Structure formats: structure tokens, C-alpha cells
Amino acid sequence: MSHALGVLVHTPAHARLGPVLTYQSECLLPPGTLVRVPLGTRETLGVVWDSQSMDATEAIDPAKVRAVAGALEGIAPLRATWQQLVTFAAHYYQRSVGEVALAALPPQLRDLSPAQMQRRLQRGISKTAAADAPAASPVSDAPALSPEQAHVVTQIENQSGPFLLFGATGSGKTEVYLHCVHTVLAQDPGAQALVMVPEINLTPQLEARFKARFVPLYGEQAVVSLHSGMTNPQRLKSWLAAHSGAARIVLGTRMAVFASLPLLRLIVVDEEHDPSYKSGEGARYSARDLAVYRGRLEGAKVLLGSATPSLESWYQSRPAAEGGRYLRLHMPSRIGASGATSSPNDAPATTAQQAMRSTAGTPAGLPLVRRVDMNHQPRKAVFSLPLLDAIKERVARGEQCMVFLNRRGYAPVLHCTDCDWKSECTNCSAFRVFHKIDRTLRCHHCGFTERVPRTCPACGNPDITPLGRGTEQIEEHLAQLLADVRRPHSTSPECPEGEPLRVARIDADSTRLKGALESQLAAVHAGDVDVLVGTQMIAKGHDFRRITLVAAVNPDGALFSSDFRAPERLFSLLMQAAGRAGRDASLGGNSEVWIQTFQPAHPLYAALKQYDYPAFAAQQLQEREQAGMPPFCAQALVRADARTQEAAQAFLNAARVGAHTDMPLWEGWSEVLAQVTLYPAVPMSIQRVANIERAQMLLESPSRSALQRFLQGWHSVLQATRTHPECKGLIRWAVDVDPLAV
Ligand code: ADP
Ligand code: ZN
Ligand code: ZN
């Protein structure tokens, strides 16, 4: 007898194919089973799905139903909770379940032949067996917890969460993660933990720390990584290890939130505020938000950690009496600062300087924040004199400095002073950036690159000049300014006066080649670099121990941005950058963060000076509440790409009208509609990219569930609007729920 089976395959977001295809099979395969099925003329990977739970599939002619080609042998079905997670993510983020489910699986499951797959599984198993013998007597190198850490850990063990661990950089959050993972794994021989970090670059450091702690206890296979920087075979191997339960700890970036983990007991989201947790394509999911959902689904504890939480999470962690749903845990002190730890190795923290600084409002152990009022500096000065002197003084002592500017390239625009020509991109409504290093003009949106013209392309004037500054120029400029400073203790027969300073740069340009970032970071760690210039890339996570001065040369732009989240991002970036300074307690006593600003009295900088995230958050939340912005409302964006701006906007505006005219029979629609505001379509801030016109429409509602109901119902209107005559030239559209930039 043959059974009808619902199977999910990879279907693009708005494909005509029903959400679940019907196949027949000789044996009854449970939902979650991975199968190979014929689709058109090829064979593809599918997941058996409970078709009852899906929207009705259309009536099928039994004679046309094709047979499943086979199940993937040796791989257990994906569990019900995984299926629920995928279904929820697809519905919430307005994509097809097939797309989300298949994208969440490693690509090689799709690509390998059954024979290849069998070999891969065999190899995995023999490795596990070899690794299973635990090391003789694992010596734990775990330090004794500080009182703050111990308090936090007790709370996590005794409450259900979700938890928001609000801890200063260097307060020992990672140590808390390690401790909680340890506890959870020790409680149950099958228990698993998922630990997420925002960026691939941060995984090696974390992996080393977790391996050092857990490989002696649970064997080589116990800790695996999952991120997009891995090769497909590596990804498959990690995925199988997690799915089979052999891996006890999965470390990964946002994609890891979908890892198949049969006995997930703890999810950690480190740097939970980081925008990288939100996917920018396909299903635009937030891995942080899905982690919270998944925790509830699986009965796993969820621990979000940050020194500067997202305002969303901060708001969720207000007191329960006021409606908060997360438990906020606080670790204000840096490890090594007085009172933070009982370790005997601490540097004495009660120097005269520390005492002075406490009176100035800087918490013990954290760098002093200094604001330089650029209104009193020579016009056009890139580096104020006091900052330059401070840098010179530090490098002359053998300390390192970090200079931070969030704009790469040499200059954002090239400009002709005669005819006002500017280096616009021909394909985008944006300027091409001048890169002096290879004398190119490069568009950072579409990639269009040309040699810099010798003379102005419009009028022939040979005098075309860079406008504004990027990291390349800062690097060059600083090397000139510091040309007469020598490295300490560097005299040698070849260099009797001592070697010149080394200024290096780390940004997306300097690290384009594989392995470049690692070697550049290694040079900084080894002390071969005196001054490091870079973008936000260098502000995140890296543990540079000899950096004692961090400077932001021009951070003001974010204060006046049209993006309401810009101040939040700036604050967290500067706090993170500050976290780079003075990590070595023996040098950290006098580390500093310099902010060059034309707005020295701005409340953001005032809060930064005190390291007072709560004050900053309170002020921002108040503004957001008054303006009815998230987290006090829910938002979604619909984006449309088209050949012309008119078509893109026409599509959005027609769908907006359709919400009122095309849905009259939908039960309860008018109530839903009354709770959702649809704003008129507008061009996106960079309106044209690679010759495609882009427009967007903002949707807002005080109720997240009303917005969700609206989007579910409105989807068919968007589909139908596509074919309207005025939308000719529309290329694609997509919904972004809880967008990060509006
Ligand atoms: P965070 O993740 O908050 O930045 P880490 O967990 O990386 O902080 O801790 C900062 C430094 O302090 C690390 O070098 C770590 O090994 C050390 N550390 C953390 N907890 C302790 C402790 N209880 N005793 C001694 N050293 C600690
Ligand atoms: Zn000109
Ligand atoms: Zn371009």
C-alpha cells in the first residue's frame, strides 16, 4: 500500500507552488524525515511535513502524484520543535516554510549522493567513537567566580528567564556563559547548549575558550562551530554532530539558531544588541528574537548578554511589575578592578589615579572618557592637538593606540572645484569613494570601479580634490604627524635613532583576502603595530591587551541621522571601543577614550563619560515613547525594486489601497486594519543601486499581533498587485518585519 506524504521543498518566497507538495511512499515516513524527491526534471532535498498543519493544498489527481525517491538513511527525522521553529519563523517573517526550512539545512545534505552521504556518516561515527574516551582526570582551569558572577549564576540557575545579562566589557560575561554551559551539560548526559556570537571573526577566540574548557571533559567532538565562513563539508560535519547529539556545544553566528539540537537546554546570545543577528536577505529573521522563541518552545534557558543591550531587550527587562518579561542581571565591575574578584593575581586598583578618577565619575577599572571640543580647534583639523600629544606620549612609552572612524576608503567623494563635478556612481544614487591606495573610484553599493581620472571628466580641470575623510586618509595623515616619533627600545646598528612608528589599518578593504584579518590582528597582538586605524571592525570583541588609548575622530554624524536607531548604535559602538582600552590590568590603570566632537555637551556623550547605559537608555526610551517608535510600536517595511521609481512606488501604493478595497470578506479585517497605519511609499535613502530603483513603505501598529494578522491577510493583496498594469517593471518585493533601518 502506498501513502500520500506532504513534503517541503525549497520554494522561493512567493512561488506559485503550494507550501507542501504531495508525494507517495511505500512506507509511512514521519514528519521531519529528510527525503529525496523528484521535482520537474531533477531530484531535490525535501522534508516530510505534517500537511494537516499547513494551509490546505489544492485537490490532487492521484494518478499524477510522484513517488518519493528515498529517505536519507542514517539521519534521524528533524524533531517537532525544529519544525515548529521553522514554521513560526516563516509565518512571522512572511516567507515560505519551504524556503526557511531548506535554507536552515547544510547545503551538502542537498548536494551529496546517497553513497557520498553514507561515507560521510561513517566517518563521523568512527571519529566519535575514538573521541569518546574522556581524558584521564580533567583539570578544570575555571577561575573562582567573582561575587558578581556568582550572584548572577545563582539567579540563572534558580529562575526560568529569559535573562538579560547586562555586564560591562571585561566584567566576565563569557566566564558566566562557560559556567552555565558547564552546569547544564553536567545535569544531563545528552544536554546541549547553543552559544551565538554576532560575527564570524569572533568565533575562533570563543571556540578556543570553549574547547579549552570542555574538550577535556567531553571529548574533541563536543564543541563544534556553525557559521557561513566554513566550507560546506565542515558545515555538514558540525550539523550532523549537533543533530546526532554527539556535539554538546554549538558555537555559531545567526544561522546557528536553526541548528538541529535534540536536547537543547541553554541558548546564549552574546552581544545581543548587535545588528548582525538580523538577517538582511531571504527571511529577514532576528536570530536573537528567534532564540527567545526557541527557548520557550524547547524548555531551554535563554541568556542574552551585552554591555549595551538593544533598547528592545532593555525595555523587555524592566521590572516584571511594569510588564517586563526578561530578568535583568547586572555585572557593573570589570574583572580586576577593585572589589570585582577575589583572585589573588589582581593588580592593585587603589592607586592615587584610580581614586581621582572615581571622583570624576568613571567607574573603577574603566578608561576615562575625554571629550575634545572641536569648536576650539583649528578649522579642518583632523586630529586635535591634545589628542595628538596623548597619542605620541603613549606610543613613546610602548603602549598602543586605536583610532576609529566609521568610513573606509581615502575620501567619500572626489570633487572638481571649478565645475562642481562629483564622483557620482553611474548606476547608483550615491558617490563613488576615492581609494588612493590603488587610485580607484569605487562604489560601495554596486561595486562599480574605475581608475581615478587625471582631470575632471566634465571640464578637464586637473585639480580635482578629495572631500571628507576615510580610514585610508587617517592612516596616511597620522603616519605623517607621527613621523618624528621613534619606537621605544628600538635602536639597532641599522637604525641608531630608533625605528619609526608603525601605523596600520584594519577595515573591509585591508581584510579582503582570506586570512588577512587574522594576520593583521596577530601583528597588533604581537606589538608590531603602534597605532591601529580602523572602522567598527576593530571595535568589536577583540582582546587587544596593550591598547591604552582609543579615539573616535569624528563620531558626530550619528547624532543627527534620520535613522532613529543611529544614537543607540553609536553609543554601543563607543562603549565597545572603550572596552578595547586597558584590558591589561597592569596598564589599564590610566587608559583613556577620546571623543572629538562639535557637540561636547550632547547627552549621549555625557552618559558615555559616566558609562551610564541606563541613563542613556532611559533618555532614548522616553524619546521613542513620545514619538511612538519601537519598542512602543511594531513596524514592518515593504520594499520594492523596479526598473523605474514610479513602478516601485505604484506597486506599494496600490497594495496599500488594496488593503482597504480587496479584503472586505475577511473576518475581522476592519478591526485589524484599524490598528495598522500604512504610510505612503517613499524612495529608499539610497534610491538607486546598480540601476535598480528602490522604494519602501512603512507599516506601524501599536500591537505586534495586529500587525502580524494584517500581514498574513495582506499577503494575497501584495501577490495580486504585482500584475497591475501600472506596476510593469516591478522586479521584486519583500517584507521586512521588525526592520533595523527604516
Ligand atoms: P566579558 O565577556 O564580559 O568581556 P570575560 O569573561 O572575557 O569578560 O572576562 C574578562 C577577563 O577576565 C578574561 O581574561 C577572563 O579570563 C577573566 N576572568 C573572568 N572571570 C574571572 C574570574 N572569576 N576570576 C579571574 N579572572 C576572570
Ligand atoms: Zn570640472
Ligand atoms: Zn554604484
Side-chain angles (χ1 to χ4, degrees):
M1 189 193 130
S2 91
H3 306 268
L5 274 190
V7 176
L8 270 188
V9 295
H10 190 290
T11 42
H14 322 299
R16 288 278 144 73
L17 291 174
V20 180
L21 306 183
T22 305
Y23 288 88
Q24 51 174 320
S25 160
E26 288 307 310
C27 41
L28 193 60
L29 299 168
T33 307
L34 292 165
V35 289
R36 254 169 249 292
V37 292
L39 186 71
T41 55
R42 58 195 176 96
E43 207 174 273
T44 187
L45 177 70
V47 187
V48 177
W49 215 250
D50 181 5
S51 40
Q52 250 75 63
S53 73
M54 311 291 301
D55 322 343
T57 36
E58 63 258 52
I60 318 146
D61 176 357
K64 290 204 182 132
V65 173
R66 301 169 79 181
V68 166
L72 268 67
E73 299 283 329
I75 302 180
L78 292 151
R79 301 170 71 86
T81 44
W82 186 89
Q83 297 166 43
Q84 284 163 352
L85 174 69
V86 161
T87 308
F88 170 80
H91 285 169
Y92 189 84
Y93 294 105
Q94 298 285 306
R95 307 294 285 201
S96 80
V97 184
E99 181 195 15
V100 176
L102 276 292
L105 297 171
Q108 282 204 326
L109 279 183
R110 192 179 57 218
D111 301 337
L112 292 186
S113 74
Q116 288 171 315
M117 199 63 216
Q118 277 314 311
R119 279 200 296 278
R120 213 44 82 71
L121 286 167
Q122 286 300 329
R123 241 187 286 160
I125 290 160
S126 54
K127 278 241 176 81
T128 332
D132 251 354
S137 66
V139 275
S140 176
D141 59 348
L145 295 181
S146 72
E148 274 179 19
Q149 287 172 324
H151 179 67
V152 158
V153 162
T154 313
Q155 302 253 64
I156 297 171
E157 281 165 6
N158 296 323
Q159 317 255 347
S160 57
F163 305 95
L164 176 65
L165 175 54
F166 167 49
T169 2
S171 64
K173 293 187 291 298
T174 312
E175 197 53 51
V176 168
Y177 307 152
L178 286 157
H179 190 95
C180 293
V181 168
H182 190 194
T183 309
V184 158
L185 298 197
Q187 273 163 2
D188 184 326
Q192 294 175 301
L194 168 63
V195 181
M196 292 198 283
V197 286
E199 292 202 26
I200 296 172
N201 302 334
L202 300 178
T203 51
Q205 278 183 40
L206 193 74
E207 191 175 325
R209 239 168 124 175
F210 272 78
K211 284 202 157 151
R213 191 69 59 86
F214 293 106
V215 165
L217 293 171
Y218 299 112
E220 195 59 46
Q221 264 226 331
V223 184
V224 300
S225 294
L226 261 184
H227 57 75
S228 58
M230 296 162 67
T231 64
N232 284 342
Q234 286 170 332
R235 245 171 95 174
L236 178 64
K237 190 171 167 221
S238 291
W239 188 89
L240 286 171
H243 178 65
S244 69
R248 306 289 304 278
I249 301 163
V250 172
L251 307 175
T253 50
R254 65 169 179 258
M255 65 189 279
V257 78
F258 289 112
S260 166
L261 293 150
L263 202 57
L264 181 58
R265 283 290 162 263
L266 174 68
I267 309 178
V268 174
V269 184
D270 190 24
E271 310 285 4
E272 67 87 29
H273 63 278
D274 198 293
S276 323
Y277 282 119
K278 177 97 162 120
S279 166
E281 64 204 9
R284 292 165 185 255
Y285 64 89
S286 156
R288 180 237 298 155
D289 295 349
L290 285 181
V292 173
Y293 179 84
R294 185 170 188 181
R296 205 165 53 222
L297 199 62
E298 311 219 24
K301 286 194 182 176
V302 177
L303 174 55
L304 313 176
S306 177
T308 51
S310 63
L311 288 175
E312 281 79 4
S313 298
W314 185 251
Y315 184 64
Q316 288 287 8
S317 70
R318 66 200 186 279
E322 293 166 28
R325 296 190 296 119
Y326 301 172
L327 185 63
R328 188 184 296 168
L329 309 169
H330 193 193
M331 297 204 302
S333 324
R334 246 183 182 192
I335 293 285
S338 98
T341 173
S342 49
S343 155
N345 307 336
D346 290 341
T350 46
T351 60
Q353 188 147 28
Q354 289 259 343
M356 253 168 57
R357 285 226 259 124
S358 325
T359 57
T362 305
L366 292 168
L368 174 68
V369 176
R370 314 186 60 151
R371 290 162 287 185
V372 183
D373 185 347
M374 294 304 277
N375 297 299
H376 300 312
Q377 293 295 321
R379 262 172 57 82
K380 293 193 166 177
V382 185
F383 289 93
S384 60
L385 280 178
L387 173 58
L388 200 60
D389 286 344
I391 292 177
K392 284 182 180 167
E393 197 179 300
R394 299 220 171 225
V395 291
R397 283 207 298 263
E399 298 169 18
Q400 292 173 308
C401 299
M402 188 168 109
V403 174
F404 163 73
L405 177 74
N406 235 357
R407 184 189 265 159
R408 64 197 168 86
Y410 190 86
V413 190
L414 214 54
H415 177 229
C416 168
T417 43
D418 266 9
C419 76
D420 213 24
W421 171 87
K422 291 197 179 85
S423 55
E424 263 155 20
C425 177
T426 47
N427 309 322
C428 308
S429 50
F431 294 112
R432 279 175 301 161
V433 174
F434 172 40
H435 289 256
K436 191 173 177 185
I437 249 173
D438 54 2
R439 298 212 62 84
T440 56
L441 288 177
R442 256 187 255 161
C443 176
H444 288 186
H445 302 280
C446 73
F448 177 45
T449 303
E450 272 184 340
R451 300 257 325 146
V452 170
R454 269 175 216 293
T455 58
C456 170
C459 74
N461 172 16
D463 189 20
I464 41 179
T465 50
L467 272 186
R469 282 170 207 98
T471 44
E472 264 185 33
Q473 192 175 159
I474 295 285
E475 177 192 15
E476 177 189 276
H477 191 53
L478 205 51
Q480 287 162 0
L481 292 172
L482 300 174
D484 55 353
V485 186
R486 302 287 118 181
R487 308 191 90 202
H489 326 296
S490 68
T491 45
S492 65
E494 301 100 79
C495 253
E497 290 102 75
E499 292 171 45
L501 288 179
R502 296 191 197 146
V503 181
R505 170 172 57 90
I506 296 187
D507 57 24
D509 297 313
S510 77
T511 55
R512 201 158 299 181
L513 296 175
K514 199 168 163 54
L517 178 63
E518 290 73 18
S519 61
Q520 289 168 19
L521 290 174
V524 181
H525 284 294
D528 295 344
V529 171
D530 302 295
V531 183
L532 176 63
V533 175
T535 53
Q536 59 177 7
M537 225 174 185
I538 55 173
K540 288 190 187 179
H542 303 291
D543 199 353
F544 299 128
R545 306 214 67 96
R546 298 192 63 81
I547 287 183
T548 60
L549 182 150
V550 171
V553 285
N554 185 17
D556 282 349
L559 303 177
F560 310 103
S561 166
S562 61
D563 178 353
F564 71 89
R565 282 194 177 84
E568 179 183 355
R569 264 190 224 121
L570 176 63
F571 190 85
S572 96
L573 206 58
L574 292 175
M575 287 276 276
Q576 281 203 16
R580 299 306 111 221
R583 295 190 56 104
D584 189 332
S586 66
L587 295 170
N590 65 351
S591 58
E592 290 175 344
V593 173
W594 287 64
I595 310 281
Q596 296 195 139
T597 172
F598 289 94
Q599 306 286 326
H602 196 283
L604 188 150
Y605 297 134
L608 185 80
K609 184 164 175 61
Q610 316 280 328
Y611 288 86
D612 196 348
Y613 170 81
F616 169 74
Q619 176 260 326
Q620 284 286 309
L621 283 174
Q622 192 187 14
E623 273 181 24
R624 297 234 193 135
E625 185 164 24
Q626 280 162 3
M629 296 284 197
F632 301 95
C633 79
Q635 291 182 328
L637 269 186
V638 193
R639 301 177 205 262
D641 289 356
R643 304 257 168 259
T644 63
Q645 184 60 224
E646 292 70 36
Q649 291 192 24
F651 167 75
L652 295 171
N653 286 327
R656 178 167 171 252
V657 171
H660 294 270
T661 56
D662 296 359
M663 303 284 302
L665 295 178
W666 186 284
E667 184 86 43
W669 185 251
S670 53
E671 287 80 36
V672 169
L673 197 53
Q675 292 183 70
V676 178
T677 309
L678 287 85
Y679 292 93
V682 291
M684 285 182 62
S685 59
I686 295 171
Q687 171 176 338
R688 187 168 47 98
V689 168
N691 284 320
I692 289 174
E693 290 285 340
R694 315 183 315 157
Q696 65 179 35
M697 185 160 88
L698 178 65
L699 281 59
E700 238 171 47
S701 173
S703 153
R704 183 169 301 271
S705 68
L707 183 61
Q708 273 292 315
R709 270 177 290 146
F710 175 84
L711 289 170
Q712 303 292 351
W714 191 47
H715 190 85
S716 61
V717 175
L718 282 164
Q719 288 274 36
T721 306
R722 250 207 115 114
T723 55
H724 285 201
E726 76 268 29
C727 307
K728 194 162 175 292
L730 181 75
I731 297 165
R732 62 182 92 86
W733 58 274
V735 180
D736 186 351
V737 182
D738 305 331
L740 277 189
V742 298

